[in-house]
Amino acid sequence: MDDGFTTERGEGDETHQRVPDGGPHSSAGHLTTNQGIRVSDNQNQLKAGARGPVLLEDFVLREKIFHFDHERIPERIVHARGSAAHGYFEAYEGAAKLSKADLFQCPGERTPVFVRFSTVAGGAGSVDTPRDVRGFAVKFYTQQGNWDLVGNNIPVFFIQDAMKFPDLVHSVKMEADRGYPQAASAHDTFWDFISLMPEATHMIMWAMSDRTIPRSLRTMQGFGVHTFRLVDAKDKVTFVKFHWKPKQGVASTIWDEAVKIAGADPDFQRRDLFEAIQRGDFPEWELGVQAFDQAFADSLPFDVLDPTKIIPEEVLPVQPIGRMVLDRYPDNFFAETEQVAFCPGNIVPGVDFTEDPLLQGRLFSYLDTQKSRLGTANFHQIPVNAPKCPVMNFQRDGMMQMLQPKGRANYEPNSLAETASEEGGPRECPVTGFRTTSAGGDLGVEKLRVRPESFADHYSQARLFFRSLDPAEQAHLASALVFELSKVGIEAVRTRMLSNLVNVDPDLAKRVGAGLNMPVPKASKAAVPVQDLELSPALRIINGPLEPTDIKGHVIGVLVADGSDAKAVDKLKAAIKKAGAVAKVIAPKIGGAKGADGTLIPADGQLAGTPSVTVDAIALVLSEDGCSALLKEAAAVQFVMDAFGHLKAIGATEAAQPLLDKAGVEPDGGVTDLGGDFIAAAAKRFWDREPKVRVLA
Ligand code: HDE
């Protein structure tokens, strides 16, 4: 039926939506706000009349300008100016001999890559051709997760230790006071720093060579710089230095040319990369390694962990292990080139770090950078950063979370999969999971993920704690376990806890088991035998060395009503104050009570709003009339009942006895008249009363 409406159906959407036909432009789709509301006019703000003021309700304008205002993210502190491309990597025969990494296993199989080339010193809008080191960062989206080989076009670096990196970068960036020069090392602070850093001398040779004025991004060599480890299927370790050799050859400009290009076409190299890919002239590099062992390393006159050194190819040839082709320019510069987050810490099984102190510092640094640039710990979910293999873990939430995991299992270990209706989530795998190797080197110690044997006793001190407690505290602890485990719907969890408790104290397990009405299972397997350690009374609260012994600092609730003896109230308040405690007069009405002699007894709290749980002990200063009035007041009965149930001291006038009776107060050492005994009693709780008022486990 042609009624001027089209019918659209969204994916998985069972309802038909009838929407007005978009007319001549409908093939391009409708312009909408970010909330999906179609926009009727993208040219004019909403105004009160044709020449009137703009209206606040113009949500279309507000959203559009708001979003625009926030389009920029912090640029990279180094390597801000960059150009990137997608492509693929193919391993050669033989690569698998060196590394078990999945991407090296099947020669010819393509692993997607994203490569970003960059200058170091200049800002994001600086020119392409300054004299500068170039970044050469490759992200391999392998079946085993992302591997980032974040290198440069020069095989050495300025400094030997990450500690000096901020100083190096500060010195080369535009000078702090004057804000220039942009993208140039030819200035005081850089050369001042360098002149004080002899370790930078080798790199300076490279930096002043034609290497730092490459003709094109396509004609640059790339280097991993640090020594890395490769690990084969039998966990044999080989040290390697990575090399990218351009099939296009290595070519540079001459300085005068570079300077002129900067003026003529500031985007010369970005354009060159774009145009080459657009015309199908896909740039290609061969990945090679210089592979060696510790014995070879020991034979060199320098340390292979020192990133200011190369191993000349003449000494150790580069062995090709694969090739990389860049065949697709990003669709969107910001989404991909700007948001790509490289991290040298991203490695896969089959590749590992060395102890190069510069590399180790980098492993720490890049995550911080990504969080501050991309604003959220979920930056890995941005498409250009997301691995192309499954990602499963218990990391959750955070700003801009795009995933909606189902179920309760957001922690591990869990046994939820053992229940019929739940999923337990992913699990670690000691066989296929990434394992750090320190083999092949001379570190002298192993890098391990282990818990030492000396940490294996999990029960002896739990037993010590439980057994050191006062019996009242033990009962509380057992009852707390009964309460908590009674809320646990999964029976297997209750049983497992009981079997753990047997290791702590079989009697405790029995008491908790009785409280749950469940049989006590056998003790769970303890890693080492549980020991009976000497008890420590210092661990007690009740009857322990730190239990308060006087009334100081306590708040005493003094309950009054019409007819109370105002003088008796004053006397009690004075005694409480003298003892160092605080008296809080509580009356049925906040305006106070009328004393027997007609004077007003001012109140600090109203009865219903000041229950006895808010004070440490209570005193009932009541007349017969006042008491009988309160007998009809649930808040008053509860006031007394709770104080008794919470094992607090209760001082009372004789006339208050009916209220004590109604609240079920039984005589004990904590129930006194209002004399000196009360002040002494108000210092503590009466634990021996507890069995009278509640059943504990
Ligand atoms: Fe980097 N480096 N770097 N770097 N680096 C960054 O991370 C850092 C170093 C390299 O195209 C930052 O995401 C420290 C050596 C490249 O996005 C930051 C140290 C090498 C790129 C960072 C080094 C590199 C970066 C800034 C000394 C060659 C651009 C933005 C311990 C092997 C990646 C970012 C891209 C980027 C820190 C030294 C290469 C700040 C602390 C050596 C190619 O995290």
Side-chain angles (χ1 to χ4, degrees):
M1 183 177 66
D2 184 3
D3 57 0
F5 285 77
T6 54
T7 302
E8 289 182 356
R9 182 197 272 252
E11 224 181 49
D13 180 359
E14 290 309 312
T15 57
H16 289 249
Q17 249 185 309
R18 300 179 74 233
V19 292
D21 197 299
H25 304 297
S26 60
S27 65
H30 292 280
L31 185 73
T32 73
T33 67
N34 281 335
Q35 302 300 323
I37 318 294
R38 286 189 185 173
V39 173
S40 59
D41 183 339
N42 193 28
Q43 322 304 323
N44 300 291
Q45 305 176 45
L46 186 68
K47 295 190 286 286
R51 301 180 59 248
V54 175
L55 297 177
L56 274 180
E57 73 172 68
D58 189 352
F59 65 92
V60 180
L61 170 80
R62 162 88 172 117
E63 183 200 80
K64 184 175 178 181
I65 301 280
F66 155 80
H67 199 275
F68 171 75
D69 289 344
H70 295 91
E71 279 181 2
R72 285 292 160 270
I73 61 173
E75 67 174 35
R76 293 163 175 82
I77 170 66
V78 280
H79 299 267
R81 170 79 186 174
S83 305
H86 292 275
Y88 58 86
F89 172 80
E90 281 176 7
Y92 293 159
E93 290 290 344
K97 282 202 196 104
L98 284 169
S99 168
K100 64 183 173 192
D102 180 76
L103 80 166
F104 294 131
Q105 301 316 300
C106 300
E109 200 177 272
R110 291 184 176 186
T111 298
V113 298
F114 188 77
V115 181
R116 184 172 180 273
F117 306 105
S118 47
T119 56
V120 176
S126 57
V127 299
D128 272 349
T129 53
R131 174 176 295 284
D132 199 356
V133 178
R134 298 301 190 279
F136 193 122
V138 181
K139 192 181 279 292
F140 299 89
Y141 303 92
T142 87
Q143 304 272 317
Q144 291 171 306
N146 288 355
W147 173 31
D148 292 357
L149 185 52
V150 194
N152 278 344
N153 76 329
I154 285 176
V156 288
F157 202 63
F158 292 101
I159 48 174
Q160 294 174 320
D161 192 298
M163 186 65 109
K164 299 314 300 163
F165 190 66
D167 300 297
L168 166 73
V169 173
H170 287 169
S171 81
V172 73
K173 296 272 294 188
M174 58 192 190
E175 294 190 8
D177 54 353
R178 56 213 65 186
Y180 65 82
Q182 177 66 265
S185 53
H187 58 114
D188 284 348
T189 58
F190 176 70
W191 285 101
D192 177 30
F193 180 78
I194 292 299
S195 68
L196 296 167
M197 294 292 288
E199 73 204 50
T201 314
H202 184 189
M203 177 73 164
I204 286 296
M205 295 299 109
W206 287 82
M208 295 302 118
S209 79
D210 294 347
R211 295 267 174 177
T212 45
I213 40 174
R215 175 73 192 159
S216 153
L217 301 173
R218 298 178 294 127
T219 57
M220 299 195 312
Q221 236 171 316
F223 302 91
V225 177
H226 315 282
T227 300
F228 288 86
R229 286 178 161 94
L230 289 182
V231 185
D232 76 4
K234 292 192 176 130
D235 287 341
K236 183 173 163 267
V237 165
T238 310
F239 290 117
V240 290
K241 292 263 187 193
F242 289 109
H243 295 249
W244 291 107
K245 295 195 175 194
K247 285 275 170 73
Q248 302 71 233
V250 178
S252 290
T253 53
I254 56 171
W255 175 237
D256 185 58
E257 203 181 1
V259 169
K260 285 176 177 156
I261 293 172
D265 184 358
D267 308 303
F268 181 69
Q269 290 176 338
R270 182 176 291 177
R271 189 188 312 280
D272 171 76
L273 182 66
F274 177 83
E275 287 177 353
I277 293 175
Q278 294 313 100
R279 69 174 178 264
D281 182 6
F282 302 141
E284 184 173 336
W285 284 260
E286 191 159 69
L287 179 64
V289 290
Q290 287 176 295
F292 56 96
D293 59 12
Q294 185 64 42
F296 175 85
D298 292 341
S299 74
L300 295 171
F302 55 84
D303 197 323
V304 293
L305 300 184
D306 174 356
T308 67
K309 304 295 186 297
I310 59 162
I311 306 175
E313 287 187 42
E314 295 69 21
V315 175
L316 182 63
V318 176
Q319 165 186 342
I321 58 170
R323 69 182 194 115
M324 175 175 79
V325 177
L326 299 184
D327 62 355
R328 185 162 65 85
Y329 203 78
D331 289 328
N332 183 274
F333 182 86
F334 179 85
E336 300 170 87
T337 310
E338 191 60 11
Q339 292 197 111
V340 65
F342 289 97
C343 178
N346 293 347
I347 50 169
V348 291
V351 182
D352 213 334
F353 315 120
T354 57
E355 294 68 46
D356 173 342
L358 192 67
L359 173 60
Q360 293 287 326
R362 296 180 71 203
L363 301 180
F364 192 79
S365 162
Y366 287 59
L367 270 184
D368 282 347
T369 298
Q370 308 317 347
K371 167 70 180 62
S372 96
R373 274 195 344 103
L374 299 164
T376 161
N378 290 316
F379 67 85
H380 61 281
Q381 295 178 10
I382 296 171
V384 71
N385 296 323
K388 299 192 194 298
C389 65
V391 172
M392 285 173 286
N393 58 42
F394 298 98
Q395 293 172 33
R396 289 290 186 274
D397 309 343
M399 232 191 222
M400 302 299 288
Q401 176 58 259
M402 300 293 155
L403 308 176
Q404 291 180 188
K406 287 188 182 159
R408 299 206 270 183
N410 60 358
Y411 59 92
E412 191 275 340
N414 71 62
S415 60
L416 297 185
E418 290 160 24
T419 66
S421 57
E422 308 242 14
E423 301 236 350
R427 290 293 185 269
E428 65 196 14
C429 175
V431 180
T432 56
F434 181 88
R435 276 178 296 129
T436 292
T437 178
S438 33
D442 56 357
L443 189 56
V445 288
E446 264 187 285
K447 299 177 190 171
L448 301 168
R449 288 182 203 271
V450 293
R451 205 76 68 79
E453 281 296 308
S454 50
F455 281 45
D457 184 353
H458 306 313
Y459 292 115
S460 300
Q461 288 222 339
R463 173 177 293 180
L464 162 72
F465 179 78
F466 177 72
R467 291 189 178 168
S468 296
L469 298 184
D470 181 89
E473 279 176 292
Q474 289 183 337
H476 294 165
L477 189 155
S479 301
L481 284 164
V482 171
F483 176 86
E484 302 253 334
L485 295 177
S486 297
K487 296 254 183 191
V488 172
I490 307 168
E491 194 183 331
V493 172
R494 297 197 299 259
T495 305
R496 196 183 309 129
M497 270 317 299
L498 282 174
S499 62
N500 286 349
L501 290 177
V502 178
N503 284 319
V504 178
D505 185 294
D507 180 53
L508 171 64
K510 214 164 101 196
R511 288 161 74 172
V512 176
L516 298 171
N517 199 14
M518 287 177 68
V520 177
K522 282 209 313 230
S524 59
K525 198 168 172 300
V528 292
V530 188
Q531 298 181 52
D532 284 319
L533 304 170
E534 194 170 331
L535 300 189
S536 166
L539 295 171
R540 292 181 192 156
I541 298 178
I542 301 171
N543 287 322
L546 297 179
E547 190 180 33
T549 51
D550 63 26
I551 191 178
K552 278 201 187 78
H554 281 198
V555 178
I556 315 298
V558 180
L559 182 63
V560 300
D562 286 350
S564 290
D565 179 345
K567 290 212 176 68
V569 171
D570 284 344
K571 202 172 139 202
L572 180 62
K573 281 170 72 176
I576 291 171
K577 190 171 174 198
K578 191 165 164 231
V582 178
K584 191 180 237 186
V585 177
I586 299 162
K589 294 179 182 166
I590 190 63
K594 196 167 164 198
D597 59 0
T599 55
L600 178 77
I601 307 173
D604 302 306
Q606 188 259 342
L607 178 56
T610 320
S612 64
V613 289
T614 63
V615 298
D616 300 299
I618 63 167
L620 313 176
V621 190
L622 298 175
S623 66
E624 272 177 28
D625 285 353
C627 179
S628 42
L630 289 185
L631 287 178
K632 292 185 217 107
E633 178 55 73
V637 180
Q638 199 67 53
F639 188 83
V640 180
M641 193 185 270
D642 274 352
F644 189 67
H646 299 152
L647 319 179
K648 292 173 184 171
I650 301 174
T653 53
E654 246 180 78
Q657 188 59 44
L659 187 56
L660 295 182
D661 293 340
K662 185 154 188 189
V665 173
E666 293 173 34
D668 65 22
V671 182
T672 67
D673 61 16
L674 292 175
D677 284 355
F678 173 66
I679 299 294
K684 55 183 181 180
R685 292 203 198 226
F686 291 84
W687 299 109
D688 47 1
R689 185 192 296 162
E690 194 156 35
K692 280 198 254 170
V693 294
R694 71 180 59 87
V695 178
L696 290 171

